[in-house]
């Protein structure tokens, strides 16, 4: 009799559990919900149509003597043991899994409370990006700010989720026009597939079913699914010819303008949906891979002339000239720095207990 009652109780419990309401999936927003990045065609870039009349200011700020000496010593120490960012194709399976796992670790951690309404430590980064629009887009501060933003993300992965591997970067020129065929998206272990024909929620890969709580846009916070809407006619513009067009420009601000409106904008818009949301695109974890490509192109441009790691020109969003003393901030996630600290990826300057010290595998 007693065993019969126990079985009845278990049966009742299972029956009740089967009809408990489940959390509804986050809505799939239409393409019109996402404000796309402004694109610059390669032909317009070649014609210089993005440049202001008379060009950008050409007064470049250079290190002072004492600052230069300190930078040289730190850079020498960095050169002895630099961090090397590894292109995805050469990144081991173990490293790939560790990277994806570290991102998911941040997504599982509570927010710092400094970036409401972020719901996780990962969304602290998304909200930071949303908050700082348009200060960090549409002006020459774009490249240098995103360089520090990407490095900060790497350091938080390291310090808070134990990610002690090299950071991957993605050579998009090798996948231009066929992003969806990369194993970054075809393998169920990584970022989830790229689908076209209208935004669709990501339902496979490590981030299947992810809800984005920041965005879309700058003023709204509407939970929505991580969605993509690939357009390979746009991803085809992330080609080496376009990169070379941008990198043929002789001053920082002119090169930045081409890079931001060219391969950068086409990569975001080509992946589409959440990645095309100018303010909250970091909600899609592939954001970090795309920006590793953009930072790589910036570094290659700098490699053409050593002076390009010690000078800068152009004005910020407010019309203030950028100098090597201009402050770059990530709102306390890591310390504020001067552009002089991060203009050279091999500067070796200590920031938050870590040297700013890396280069790319090629």
């Amino acid at each position: 009799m007693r065993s019969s009652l126990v079985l009845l109780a278990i049966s009742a419990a299972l029956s009740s559990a089967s009809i408990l309401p489940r959390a509804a999936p986050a809505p799939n927003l239409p393409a019109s919900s996402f404000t796309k990045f402004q694109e610059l065609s390669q032909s317009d870039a070649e014609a210089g149509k993005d440049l202001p009349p008379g060009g950008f200011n050409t007064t470049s700020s250079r290190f002072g003597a004492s600052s230069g000496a300190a930078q040289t010593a730190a850079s020498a120490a960095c050169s002895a043991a630099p961090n090397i960012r590894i292109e995805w194709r050469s990144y081991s399976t173990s490293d790939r899994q560790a990277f994806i796992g570290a991102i998911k670790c941040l997504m599982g951690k509570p927010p710092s409370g400094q970036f409401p309404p972020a719901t996780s430590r990962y969304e602290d980064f998304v909200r930071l990006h949303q908050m700082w629009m348009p200060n960090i887009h549409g002006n020459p501060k774009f490249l240098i700010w995103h360089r520090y933003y990407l490095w900060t993300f790497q350091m938080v992965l390291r310090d808070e989720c134990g990610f002690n591997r090299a950071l991957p970067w993605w050579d998009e020129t090798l996948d231009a026009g066929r992003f969806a065929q990369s194993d970054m998206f075809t393998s169920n272990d990584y970022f989830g597939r790229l689908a076209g024909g209208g935004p669709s929620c990501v339902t496979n890969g490590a981030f299947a079913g992810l809800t984005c709580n920041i965005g879309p846009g700058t003023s709204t916070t509407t939970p929505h699914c991580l969605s993509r809407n690939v357009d390979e006619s746009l991803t085809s513009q992330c080609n080496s010819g376009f990169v070379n067009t941008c990198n043929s420009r002789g001053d920082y601000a002119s090169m930045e303008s081409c890079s931001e409106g060219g391969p950068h904008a086409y990569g975001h818009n080509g992946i589409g949906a959440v990645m095309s949301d100018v303010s909250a695109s970091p909600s899609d974890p592939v954001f970090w891979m795309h920006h590793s490509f953009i930072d790589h192109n910036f570094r290659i441009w700098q490699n053409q002339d050593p002076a390009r790691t010690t000078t800068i020109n152009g004005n910020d969003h407010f019309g203030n000239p950028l100098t090597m003393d201009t402050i770059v901030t990530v709102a306390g996630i890591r310390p504020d720095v001067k552009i002089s600290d991060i203009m050279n990826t091999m500067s070796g300057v200590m920031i938050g207990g870590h040297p700013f010290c890396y280069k790319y595998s090629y």
Side-chain angles (χ1 to χ4, degrees), residues 3-17:
S3 60
S4 298
L5 291 174
V6 170
L7 289 173
L8 285 172
I10 292 174
S11 176
L14 290 173
S15 177
S16 298

Side-chain angles (χ1 to χ4, degrees), residues 28-340:
N28 179 26
L29 299 182
S32 59
S33 300
F34 307 105
T35 304
K36 292 187 176 181
F37 291 78
Q38 184 173 350
E39 298 167 357
L40 171 71
S41 71
Q42 186 172 350
S43 60
D44 282 352
E46 291 169 346
K49 292 185 178 181
D50 58 308
L51 302 176
F56 291 98
N57 74 62
T58 56
T59 303
S60 297
S61 170
R62 185 181 293 272
F63 292 120
S66 60
S67 177
Q71 287 278 348
T72 299
S75 182
C78 168
S79 296
N83 293 304
I84 299 176
R85 293 183 175 176
I86 306 297
E87 206 281 323
W88 181 260
R89 291 162 183 78
S90 300
Y91 209 46
S92 71
T93 299
S94 173
D95 287 345
R96 292 178 178 189
Q97 292 171 342
F99 178 60
I100 296 295
I103 295 176
K104 295 187 74 173
C105 165
L106 277 193
M107 291 178 173
K109 284 185 172 291
S112 66
Q114 300 303 307
F115 302 94
T119 64
S120 69
R121 183 59 164 155
Y122 183 87
E123 285 190 343
D124 282 352
F125 281 89
V126 186
R127 175 60 176 150
L128 167 64
H129 192 275
Q130 184 191 50
M131 288 168 57
W132 281 97
M133 286 293 298
N135 301 333
I136 55 171
H137 278 273
N139 70 84
K141 203 171 187 178
F142 163 79
L143 276 180
I144 196 65
W145 188 89
H146 282 81
R147 168 170 286 180
Y148 190 45
Y149 182 57
L150 178 59
W151 183 85
T152 295
F153 183 70
Q154 180 186 7
M155 293 304 105
V156 170
L157 289 180
R158 178 178 299 272
D159 291 346
E160 299 182 23
C161 287
F163 179 68
N164 60 0
R165 316 292 180 97
L167 193 73
W169 72 279
W170 178 21
D171 189 347
E172 293 179 11
T173 67
L174 301 178
D175 292 314
R178 47 188 179 84
F179 276 17
Q181 297 177 38
S182 167
D183 70 355
M184 286 174 52
F185 306 109
T186 59
S187 170
N188 201 45
D189 294 327
Y190 307 132
F191 293 92
R193 74 188 184 99
L194 297 184
S200 59
C201 299
V202 174
T203 58
N204 71 337
F207 305 104
L210 181 67
T211 296
C212 305
N213 294 291
I214 306 298
T218 59
S219 61
T220 59
T221 303
T222 304
H224 52 286
C225 74
L226 171 61
S227 61
R228 299 183 182 132
N229 182 23
V230 71
D231 182 340
E232 300 287 22
S233 71
L234 300 181
T235 73
S236 69
Q237 298 306 302
C238 299
N239 60 72
S240 58
F242 207 154
V243 171
N244 292 338
T245 293
C246 297
N247 282 6
S248 69
R249 293 185 170 186
D251 67 280
Y252 167 83
S254 297
M255 179 277 296
E256 181 283 326
S257 177
C258 180
S259 175
E260 183 177 1
H264 165 259
Y266 284 105
H268 274 283
N269 293 344
I271 293 173
V274 169
M275 262 291 277
S276 68
D277 182 359
V278 176
S279 296
S281 53
S283 287
D284 189 336
V286 80
F287 172 96
W288 308 103
M289 298 300 296
H290 179 53
H291 271 272
S292 68
F293 169 64
I294 300 304
D295 185 64
H296 167 268
N297 297 341
F298 176 19
R299 181 67 235 194
I300 294 301
W301 176 82
Q302 291 183 303
N303 288 345
Q304 298 172 17
D305 182 351
R308 293 176 178 176
T309 63
T310 60
T311 60
I312 197 166
N313 70 315
N315 299 330
D316 69 12
H317 172 68
F318 302 101
N320 302 312
L322 295 179
T323 75
M324 299 303 282
D325 290 326
T326 296
I327 298 299
V328 176
T329 182
V330 286
I333 296 180
R334 284 296 181 272
D336 292 355
V337 296
K338 294 180 179 180
I339 285 179
S340 61

